[in-house]
Each structure stands twice: as C-alpha cells, then as structure tokens.
C-alpha cells in the first residue's frame, strides 16, 4: 500500500497540473481565433438574409475574422433556431433573428412544437435594427386614414378583409392586435405568402394589409394602394407624409419587426460583450447604415442587457396578443 500511495498522489497531481494548464491556455486564447457562423433561418436574398449579410460583413471587418452566413431555411425559421440552440455556447455560432417573427411563431405554435423558447434558450448579443410596419388599403376601398377605416368597419362589421402571408404570420398577429385596440371587426384572409395577398389588394378582393416599410413604398409607387398609417412612434423619413396611428388617435399601436443577434444560452459574458462592442461599431459604419437605409431598417444600438430587456418585452407583449387568437382557433 505504501508503495502505491506516491504513485496515486503523483497521478492526481499530474492530472491537476494538466487541468490548470488547459484552463490557463484556454483563458489566454483570444476571442475569436476561428471563423464565426451567423445562421439565418430564411432563404438567401430575403430581407432577413440581406440584414444578416450586412451585419456579417461589418462584424468581420471589426473583429478581423471571417463571419460566414449559413442559411438554414424552413419552418418559419425554427430549423435555424433549433440548430443554434444546440450549438456550443462559445460565441462561434450565432443566430440572425427577426425576433418579432420568432416570438409570434413560438407563441402561436407553443414552445414544444416550435422547438425553442426564444427568451429562455438564447442569450441576446445585440439588437441591431427595427423595420417599421405600415398599413395599406386598396384604392377601391376608399380608405385613406384610420378615421376612414373605423367608419367603414363600423358600417360593415366583419366585411372588411385583411390579408396575411398565413395564420400566425407577422401580418396576421399585428393586424389582430390593431383590431383589438381599435375595437373593430375585420375578416382575416390568409394566403400562402405576401405576394398573392398584395395582388388581391390591388384587385380590391381584400381591403387591407400590414407590411414592412420597403414593401409599402414599392406598392405605394404603383398608385393602386393608399397608406392608412405607420405603426411607429414617429413618422418615417422615407414616407414623411404618412401619419402614425398615434397621431390619428391610436397611441398604443406601435409595431416593428425587430432584428437581433442571439447566441446560445450559456455563452460567456466576456464573449457576448466583445461581440456586442464589435456589432455596435459595425452599425456605425457608413456602408452598414447606407444598406440599412436602402432596406428601410432603422439602426438600433444596444447593450446586451438592453437587448435582453427588449426581447423579454416582445415575448410578453405578443403572448398577450396571441392567446385570444389561439383560444379562438381551438
């Protein structure tokens, strides 16, 4: 027994030394020391993808490390979210998240069906932008303001129809929230995508749709639709003549599509802080701001704490809106 004790102590000491050496080596390794992957849950060329690629380019320049965009489209972004949720929490796999859309999908489907809880399974790195929403009306409807819409809806309850890109989509849930606040009855017509909904809006088959500001601008240029109002705290620079709903008597109707960069839960705070600093610097780049302006995205700077608070607020806000929609569908 006495002969084996020194050997046991030596092995234990050696193991401790190796562990300490590994910890020190890990602590001294700078972040990042390899490429970062930014996962996008939507197809290449779409709005989320373009925002993601703009962010990836700016971030790469700041951290002097490649940031690779990986499109994992499908299931309204759930495939990408699940992939990043399962990734190592080391800062090398991030999610380009349209958090408003993710929150709505999760609340409509339920966390188990969605495969994630956006406010619990991820650590926000930074909020990077907001895409304000605009309500459009067909010219045939004669609606050109919130007052016009209210009058028409009260005259024909349940007859005015609004389109969306599907049940549980941003257009659907935001318009239901509008309907709840305005106290009016509208008919929901879900489509397989926004393009056919816009086509029927042009034709007067539906009367209303909520859409992003770039899409609104494109369609306003045709002269076949009118802007009812902007769901933002203040008028948009790209459409200064369109009043907000707050100006028209509906102060609580403020809704934007929020974009954020998220990391897996458990990602170390120093890594999150380093990424946040680099992202905020990238958002100050002229090229990034110019590209965001072209997309109609408003640049947002935030700390990780502010991003976390906004994500939690979004989750709480849309859960209240979605619950009666889910209850009615049961």
């Amino acid at each position: 027994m006495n002969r084996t004790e020194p050997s046991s102590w030596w092995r234990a000491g050696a193991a401790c030394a190796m562990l300490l050496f590994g910890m020190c080596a890990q602590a001294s390794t700078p972040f990042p020391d390899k490429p970062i992957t930014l996962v996008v849950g939507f197809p290449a060329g779409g709005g989320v993808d373009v925002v993601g690629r703009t962010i990836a380019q700016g971030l790469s320049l700041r951290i002097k490390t490649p940031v690779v965009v990986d499109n994992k489209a499908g299931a309204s972004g759930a495939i990408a979210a699940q992939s990043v949720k399962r990734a190592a929490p080391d800062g090398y796999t991030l999610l380009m998240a349209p958090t408003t859309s993710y929150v709505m999908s999760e609340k409509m489907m339920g966390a188990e069906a969605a495969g994630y809880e956006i406010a619990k399974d991820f650590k926000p790195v930074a909020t990077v932008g907001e895409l304000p929403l605009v309500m459009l009306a067909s010219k045939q409807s004669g609606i050109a303001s919130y007052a016009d819409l209210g009058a028409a809806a009260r005259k024909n309850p349940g007859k005015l129809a609004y389109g969306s890109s599907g049940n549980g989509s941003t257009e659907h849930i935001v318009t239901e929230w509008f309907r709840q606040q305005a106290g009016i009855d509208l008919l929901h017509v879900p489509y397989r995508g926004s393009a056919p909904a816009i086509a029927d809006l042009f034709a007067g088959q539906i009367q209303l749709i909520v859409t992003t500001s770039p899409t609104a601008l494109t369609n306003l240029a045709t002269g076949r639709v009118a802007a009812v109002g902007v769901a933002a705290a203040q008028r948009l620079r790209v459409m200064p003549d369109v009043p907000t709903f707050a100006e028209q008597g509906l102060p609580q109707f403020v809704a934007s599509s929020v974009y954020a960069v998220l990391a897996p839960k458990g990602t170390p705070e120093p890594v999150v802080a380093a990424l946040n600093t680099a992202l905020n610097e990238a958002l100050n780049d002229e090229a990034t701001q110019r590209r965001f302006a072209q997309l109609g995205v408003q640049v947002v700077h935030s700390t990780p704490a502010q991003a976390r608070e906004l994500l939690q607020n979004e989750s709480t806000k849309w859960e209240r809106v979605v619950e009666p929609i889910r209850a009615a569908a049961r």
Side-chain angles (χ1 to χ4, degrees):
M1 179 180 289
N2 290 336
R3 290 181 181 178
T4 59
E5 285 180 354
S7 177
S8 299
W9 281 109
W10 183 88
R11 284 197 298 269
C16 289
M18 291 178 67
L19 178 61
L20 287 171
F21 177 78
M23 293 173 63
C24 290
Q26 186 177 16
S28 63
T29 301
F31 175 86
D33 65 346
K34 62 181 180 180
I36 291 172
T37 299
L38 182 64
V39 180
V40 174
F42 300 86
V48 181
D49 177 71
V50 175
V51 170
R53 291 181 186 277
T54 303
I55 287 293
Q57 184 176 11
L59 179 60
S60 179
L61 291 172
R62 290 292 173 177
I63 62 176
K64 312 296 187 211
T65 300
V67 179
V68 181
V69 174
D70 182 12
N71 294 90
K72 292 184 182 294
S76 299
I79 291 174
Q82 293 166 15
S83 172
V84 175
K85 173 186 170 181
R86 294 190 300 265
D90 55 10
Y92 289 100
T93 305
L94 306 172
L95 180 65
M96 182 66 243
T99 54
T100 306
S101 175
Y102 272 125
V103 165
M104 290 176 177
S105 293
E106 174 202 326
K107 301 306 180 186
M108 279 294 292
M109 298 168 63
E112 185 174 348
Y116 63 84
E117 285 190 76
I118 202 74
K120 293 182 179 179
D121 293 331
F122 299 91
K123 179 173 285 189
V125 176
T127 303
V128 297
E130 290 187 2
L131 193 56
L133 300 176
V134 181
M135 182 177 286
L136 300 179
S138 67
K139 275 296 178 69
Q140 292 95 321
S141 71
I143 296 170
S145 68
Y146 173 51
D148 293 341
L149 172 54
R154 284 187 288 273
K155 183 178 180 180
N156 300 289
K159 299 292 180 66
L160 288 182
Y162 73 90
S164 78
S165 58
N167 287 311
S169 65
T170 300
E171 303 100 316
H172 175 206
I173 294 174
V174 168
T175 311
E176 280 300 300
W177 188 43
F178 167 81
R179 186 189 64 76
Q180 292 169 19
Q181 291 191 52
I184 57 177
D185 191 10
L186 300 173
L187 175 65
H188 176 220
V189 182
Y191 291 81
R192 291 184 176 179
S194 58
I198 293 289
D200 272 6
L201 186 73
F202 283 172
Q205 299 298 314
I206 59 174
Q207 287 72 50
L208 303 165
I209 196 167
V210 168
T211 188
T212 60
S213 50
T215 301
L217 280 170
T218 299
N219 290 292
L220 284 167
T222 68
R224 301 172 73 177
V225 295
V228 178
V230 176
Q234 52 190 325
R235 295 194 185 197
L236 306 181
R237 285 184 296 176
V238 291
M239 47 180 70
D241 296 331
V242 180
T244 67
F245 280 98
E247 291 178 77
Q248 300 181 73
L250 201 63
Q252 299 303 313
F253 187 54
V254 177
S256 296
S257 183
V258 179
Y259 293 95
V261 174
L262 309 179
K265 180 178 65 175
T267 302
E269 294 293 346
V271 170
V272 171
L275 288 167
N276 177 270
T277 298
L279 281 167
N280 278 297
E281 291 175 351
L283 290 170
N284 286 327
D285 289 345
E286 183 180 346
T288 300
Q289 295 194 351
R290 183 169 60 249
R291 188 64 177 127
F292 271 31
Q294 290 170 348
L295 296 169
V297 178
Q298 298 177 336
V299 172
V300 176
H301 292 86
S302 73
T303 64
Q306 289 169 335
R308 182 169 57 252
E309 181 180 12
L310 178 57
L311 180 58
Q312 186 58 61
N313 289 344
E314 284 278 289
S315 182
T316 302
K317 168 184 175 179
W318 295 117
E319 184 172 25
R320 288 197 299 264
V321 176
V322 165
E323 183 50 40
I325 300 174
R326 289 186 65 186
R330 294 189 186 110

